Amino acid sequence: MSRKKTKRAYKYRFYPTDEQKKKLAQTFGCCRFVYNWGLSTRKTSYFQHGQSLYYNDLAGMLPALKEQFPWLKDVSSVPLQQALRHLDRAFVNFFEHRADYPTFKKKRHDQSASYASNAFTWDGQALTLAKMDAPLDIRFHRPLPKGVKPSSVTVTRDSANRYFVSILVGEDIQPLPLSPKVIGLDLGITSMVALSTGESIGNPRYFATDEKKLAKAQRKLARKKKGSKNRTKARLKVAKIQAKIADRRRDYQHKLNTRIVYENQVVCVESLAVKNMVQNHCLAKAISDVGWGEFTRQLDYKTKWYGRTLVKIDRWYPSSKTCHACKHVLDSLSLDIREWVCPACSMVHDRDTNAALNILAAGLAVTACGGSVRPVRVRARRATPVEAGNALP
Ligand SMILES: [Zn+2]
């Protein structure tokens, strides 16, 4: 029996020739232009005429737009259509409360262009984009699986001027052999992840260690005259440090959640309303530093790939202040208390391990009962603001 193919993106760095750089810069510029034009056209249409426009409407206006701005014809038309598809996606994400209202793309931010399968060739070794003569010089740090047919390709240039290509393929991913292990994770602030096994994996806080370097570069940038060459250079320096921090964080997270998924059959986490919590000023930096949202997203698709189960527990489950042994619930437990003694059963708890054990128990209750019997969390009252992280000591 063949499994449905899983869509998987492989991202590689590549080094464009001067000519390719020029062509890409042109393409990025045109995509940005079309995206921004689409956004402003949609806005005008809706706010002035009460009429919603979608991909098909805007794509239908592209030929006329090209007559008005003939330089749009110098680049492949596929990335321009894809830019409008991305705009559609941005609106859907907004309507479904996953993102803010779409904003205009700016020149100094990351640039990207997407190519559908009719706008590139892949011969199993080399990738050539439409309107380009030579294939991209891609560094395949790991090979694309043999025999795959890429369905789309996205080229990006980040603010540190590095070029990447993300190749989307359909792939047969073999589920891992069953594991007898189950685990609960408490995604904390002071430690990256506390496991129900008692192991605590320290938050690398890359941002904190590189913070000085970054702050220095940012101060330098602030002193440079607007529009000057030196300002551009200083901005690039800041972007490079930020890119390095982001790379290291991503790498660390991937290794960690891959290990967790490999070892355990069932993984239980709290489904955190990360976005809401990030809006809390005091916690904002610590949380965006740790990157919980991205971590959980990766757990989500990796458990699906490998035939594991991810259980997300209600975000208001008071996992920290419930004793995992006797289920006694404390009235409050402030964030600076790392260890506490249960007044009911006298057990000593490490704050994070106890929370991870509760998350595991709640998750297993949900899976065992198929959700038909009330899960453990129903026993508990709603968390106080302290539990939800609204009060820092
Ligand atoms: Zn107890």
Side-chain angles (χ1 to χ4, degrees):
M1 196 182 80
S2 73
R3 270 161 58 89
K4 198 170 152 271
K5 289 206 188 294
T6 309
K7 282 201 170 183
R8 185 170 184 177
Y10 286 81
K11 192 177 179 186
Y12 304 102
R13 190 159 180 189
F14 74 97
Y15 296 85
T17 61
D18 287 345
E19 203 180 318
Q20 286 173 336
K21 266 186 200 171
K22 230 193 250 166
K23 185 50 86 183
L24 286 173
Q26 215 179 352
T27 310
F28 292 147
C30 291
C31 287
R32 198 173 60 232
F33 178 85
V34 166
Y35 184 96
N36 289 344
W37 162 81
L39 176 54
S40 104
T41 307
R42 275 186 75 142
K43 270 173 142 171
T44 313
S45 166
Y46 182 77
F47 290 110
Q48 292 186 1
H49 313 292
Q51 194 190 351
S52 296
L53 297 178
Y54 299 99
Y55 171 79
N56 283 337
D57 308 307
L58 292 169
M61 297 180 201
L62 265 182
L65 191 71
K66 284 181 180 178
E67 290 309 317
Q68 199 184 347
F69 303 100
W71 41 266
L72 287 172
K73 293 179 192 166
D74 294 342
V75 304
S76 165
S77 60
V78 177
L80 304 183
Q81 291 158 4
Q82 295 299 104
L84 292 177
R85 287 204 189 278
H86 291 167
L87 178 65
D88 243 30
R89 170 66 26 202
F91 270 102
V92 169
N93 286 341
F94 166 68
F95 291 130
E96 294 179 0
H97 308 290
R98 281 190 300 267
D100 292 332
Y101 193 84
T103 54
F104 292 106
K105 288 198 186 293
K106 294 199 170 95
K107 197 177 176 182
R108 65 164 192 274
H109 291 167
D110 287 8
Q111 302 293 309
S112 73
S114 292
Y115 296 77
S117 59
N118 57 347
F120 65 85
T121 58
W122 166 252
D123 65 3
Q125 280 171 338
L127 180 77
T128 311
L129 300 178
K131 302 241 178 191
M132 280 189 192
D133 301 327
L136 300 179
D137 177 13
I138 300 173
R139 302 300 150 91
F140 288 98
H141 59 278
R142 55 175 176 167
L144 264 189
K146 283 220 179 325
V148 293
K149 241 182 95 192
S151 56
S152 78
V153 158
T154 299
V155 176
T156 50
R157 186 184 70 207
D158 72 6
S159 45
N161 275 345
R162 301 178 304 173
Y163 291 81
F164 295 94
V165 57
S166 178
I167 305 175
L168 194 68
V169 301
E171 195 186 338
D172 287 316
I173 298 177
Q174 294 301 322
L176 292 165
L178 288 177
S179 162
K181 289 189 193 166
V182 293
I183 201 161
L185 310 179
D186 179 48
L187 309 177
I189 293 159
T190 56
S191 61
M192 170 79 182
V193 182
L195 311 183
S196 52
T197 53
E199 189 185 350
S200 177
I201 299 172
N203 170 13
R205 299 300 287 261
Y206 287 137
F207 191 81
T209 48
D210 283 332
E211 194 171 47
K212 271 191 187 158
K213 225 166 136 188
L214 184 63
K216 198 175 150 197
Q218 279 170 331
R219 274 199 305 276
K220 268 193 180 160
L221 170 63
R223 282 199 298 270
K224 300 286 186 268
K225 219 173 109 194
K226 273 199 177 151
S228 70
K229 267 210 162 131
N230 282 333
R231 190 180 171 86
T232 310
K233 264 194 217 163
R235 184 187 292 132
L236 188 62
K237 177 98 200 237
V238 168
K240 277 188 173 161
I241 298 172
Q242 284 169 335
K244 200 177 117 198
I245 295 169
D247 283 356
R248 284 164 61 188
R249 183 186 306 154
R250 206 174 301 125
D251 187 52
Y252 178 87
Q253 288 192 342
H254 267 299
K255 282 187 180 140
L256 181 57
N257 56 39
T258 297
R259 189 197 119 190
I260 288 167
V261 170
Y262 263 73
E263 289 174 356
N264 300 282
Q265 190 62 36
V266 180
V267 182
C268 309
V269 291
E270 271 177 304
S271 77
L272 295 150
V274 174
K275 211 180 152 212
N276 290 337
M277 291 188 79
V278 169
Q279 278 167 359
N280 175 323
H281 197 70
C282 297
L283 289 178
K285 218 175 93 194
I287 292 174
S288 50
D289 189 3
V290 179
W292 279 337
E294 181 57 17
F295 187 82
T296 318
R297 192 186 71 83
Q298 291 170 1
L299 271 182
D300 203 358
Y301 71 69
K302 285 182 189 175
T303 46
K304 284 196 186 106
W305 284 356
Y306 295 116
R308 304 306 203 204
T309 305
L310 179 69
V311 187
K312 292 185 189 169
I313 311 300
D314 186 290
R315 69 189 215 223
W316 291 113
Y317 177 65
S319 53
S320 295
K321 48 179 200 166
T322 304
C323 166
H324 80 262
C326 74
K327 307 297 171 206
H328 177 79
V329 182
L330 298 178
D331 287 335
S332 71
L333 180 66
S334 75
L335 280 168
D336 57 336
I337 295 173
R338 311 307 314 162
E339 211 179 74
W340 56 280
V341 180
C342 175
C345 74
S346 307
M347 195 163 180
V348 182
H349 295 303
D350 171 83
R351 179 202 182 92
D352 299 331
T353 307
N354 176 63
L357 280 163
N358 279 324
I359 291 165
L360 174 62
L364 290 181
V366 173
T367 48
C369 306
S372 60
V373 174
R374 66 177 191 173
V376 180
R377 66 179 154 86
V378 178
R379 290 175 55 128
R381 288 160 290 148
R382 271 174 74 95
T384 62
V386 174
E387 176 76 22
N390 288 330
L392 264 188

